[in-house]
Amino acid sequence: MLNSIIAQERLNRITQFVNELTLNAYVPSVTKGHDQMNGNVDSPERESLSDWMASAIPVDSALALTAAAAGITRDDFISPSSLKIWEPHSPESVTTSEASDFSQVSPEVRTSFTSRNLALGHLGSSESLFSPVRSMESEDYDDEIFANCDKAFGDDLIMQWAKENKNDLLQIVCGYHALSLPPRGSELLFQPLEHLQAIVYMRPPVAALGFHENNLDSLEIAEVDAKLAAAEEALALSIWTTATICRALSLESVLSLVAGVLLEKQVLVVCPNLGVLSAVVLSLVPLIRPFQWQSLLLPVLPGRMLDFLDAPVPYIVGIQYKPVDLKMKASNVVHVNVLKDEVKMCHLPALPRHKELVSELGPIHARLSRESSIAKRHPVYRCSDVQAEAAAEFLNVMRCYLESLCSDLKSHAITSVQSNNDRVSLLLKDSFIDSYPSRDRPFMKQFVDTQLFSVLSDTHLSSFENGYS
């Protein structure tokens, strides 16, 4: 979806650039100074310039503003007549007849009409949509407009306005927003624009999400929806993010990162490439399944929000560059430098059965690492059949390994029956930790106190209470 928007924006810029080149072909050679031309209104140069403007190729105002905001064209190439389409009329620009006609409208309708056109103008303004720098005042002003006019118009009106003003980007967004969520196990075809490639959305069935119906029957509807949504998200991120992290980091770095996440440390990932950065951060969602990250996860943290890194909570955060003068107060931060394939962290115990896990994942990781040079030619979300197969195997091994960490919970739980015949199960943590070899106990002592472990173990214990194994 985002790739379609980027492709259309790139097409708009190229089209605008070609139009500007065509316009420049009509520009006559001006030999006199700017002051002289301004002083003599009827000069030949002024007449030639007027002729050139009259014969200029019309440029859609939305594309012109987009190109100017992107830095491809200069602002002075945008004609005032084009700007009139996008800017609300000032009181001085309204003619007497228009004012008299408008005054006959009731105040309620007049207010709704004015706010609606003002909001649509802001929606259509490519400066407000694509300008990389915007003042805080303009953001607050836009928020106020959208808040006041949210109920004044719907998707159909916005789409109609976008088509009339030939705003391709807004048409894509509106078309996507109007789509209904397909049922699980079905697919949906979305055509952003006629000249863009169609997008097929395939929603997996419940069986593909790794859930057993017995486990879902013991939960409330809201809990079931939340678990299915989390599993669906992990499945959507699984293949391409796993392939990317295995190409970017060594196996030891990947496992060290996973250990920091499982122990709910503060994880900071640094990489200048936004695609790789976001993929590495998002890969941790499927990598730790069946566990689910319970705290903050930000694939890309803006530079002006670096103070957030001092928050006293677990997080997984990605930044493009780490400032030299950045001093973090927390002592349990896991620093991941993707370019250097380096993971710096406080002393963390190794994962249980670490050597066995490395020997099993090693050949799979090597296959993905060899695909690194090929993958650099394509966006990170595109994977070849070889990469997809290897990534699926990698995830399967990780899932079986992590599930084995909680496979023996029932042997270390006690169940009591209350007066109202409710069954309550409690995990004996010390007994559970002692069931592991001595070399693995340091990790498990910290792991059983995390929210990840508590949520999953409570789910398993709940199934025991309802008679499911």
Side-chain angles (χ1 to χ4, degrees), residues 92-339:
E92 293 78 9
S93 64
V94 180
T95 63
T96 305
S97 59
E98 290 173 343
S100 62
D101 294 339
F102 188 71
S103 63
Q104 297 176 2
V105 184
S106 63
E108 293 80 5
V109 178
R110 188 187 314 161
T111 303
S112 175
F113 178 82
T114 305
S115 60
R116 179 178 300 182
N117 282 275
L118 184 61
L120 285 175
H122 277 262
L123 284 173
S125 173
S126 54
E127 181 181 358
S128 63
L129 285 173
F130 305 108
S131 177
V133 180
R134 297 179 61 195
S135 64
M136 294 301 295
E137 290 84 358
S138 64
E139 290 181 2
D140 295 338
Y141 179 64
D142 290 345
D143 292 341
E144 182 179 355
I145 289 177
F146 282 109
N148 294 334
C149 305
D150 184 44
K151 298 180 180 179
F153 52 86
D155 292 338
D156 294 338
L157 181 60
I158 298 177
M159 175 64 82
Q160 179 183 356
W161 184 91
K163 290 181 178 180
E164 291 175 354
N165 292 273
K166 299 180 181 180
N167 191 319
D168 298 326
L169 301 177
L170 190 56
Q171 290 182 50
I172 296 176
V173 174
C174 289
Y176 178 75
H177 186 264
L179 292 176
S180 58
L181 187 65
R184 287 190 173 90
S186 62
E187 65 178 34
L188 178 68
L189 180 67
F190 174 56
Q191 182 72 47
L193 293 173
E194 292 183 359
H195 57 275
L196 293 179
Q197 184 177 2
I199 305 173
V200 179
Y201 296 96
M202 293 177 289
R203 195 175 184 197
V206 176
L209 300 179
F211 283 98
H212 299 290
E213 293 184 2
N214 291 341
N215 294 336
L216 295 178
D217 291 340
S218 61
L219 302 175
E220 300 291 336
I221 296 179
E223 293 182 88
V224 172
D225 292 338
K227 289 185 175 296
L228 291 178
E232 197 170 342
E233 177 190 32
L235 182 61
L237 296 172
S238 58
I239 300 300
W240 64 277
T241 59
T242 302
T244 301
I245 193 175
C246 289
R247 294 193 304 256
L249 297 176
S250 63
L251 180 57
E252 283 297 331
S253 297
V254 173
L255 294 181
S256 298
L257 177 56
V258 170
V261 172
L262 290 176
L263 296 181
E264 293 184 340
K265 302 301 179 181
Q266 294 176 325
V267 179
L268 180 62
V269 182
V270 183
C271 180
N273 187 306
L274 283 175
V276 176
L277 174 64
S278 57
V280 169
V281 174
L282 293 172
S283 68
L284 297 170
V285 174
L287 274 177
I288 64 173
R289 296 290 296 173
F291 299 99
Q292 185 178 347
W293 181 251
Q294 301 296 317
S295 192
L296 299 172
L297 188 145
L298 299 173
V300 182
L301 181 70
R304 65 178 182 273
M305 296 177 62
L306 291 180
D307 292 340
F308 172 81
L309 299 177
D310 291 327
V313 294
Y315 57 70
I316 306 174
V317 171
I319 60 175
Q320 284 187 276
Y321 302 98
K322 181 184 176 184
V324 179
D325 57 346
L326 179 63
K327 296 181 180 179
M328 302 176 62
K329 299 177 182 178
S331 59
N332 59 346
V333 179
V334 178
H335 294 272
V336 183
N337 190 320
V338 177
L339 284 183

Side-chain angles (χ1 to χ4, degrees), residues 366-406:
R367 285 160 55 192
L368 286 170
S369 298
R370 286 193 295 267
E371 295 289 317
S372 179
S373 58
I374 300 175
K376 288 180 179 179
R377 307 171 191 171
H378 306 285
V380 294
Y381 61 85
R382 290 184 181 176
C383 294
S384 64
D385 294 338
V386 174
Q387 298 168 17
E389 181 182 357
E393 291 182 21
F394 192 95
L395 285 171
N396 186 49
V397 172
M398 283 296 301
R399 173 130 192 171
C400 293
Y401 166 77
L402 293 175
E403 285 179 344
S404 68
L405 297 181
C406 298

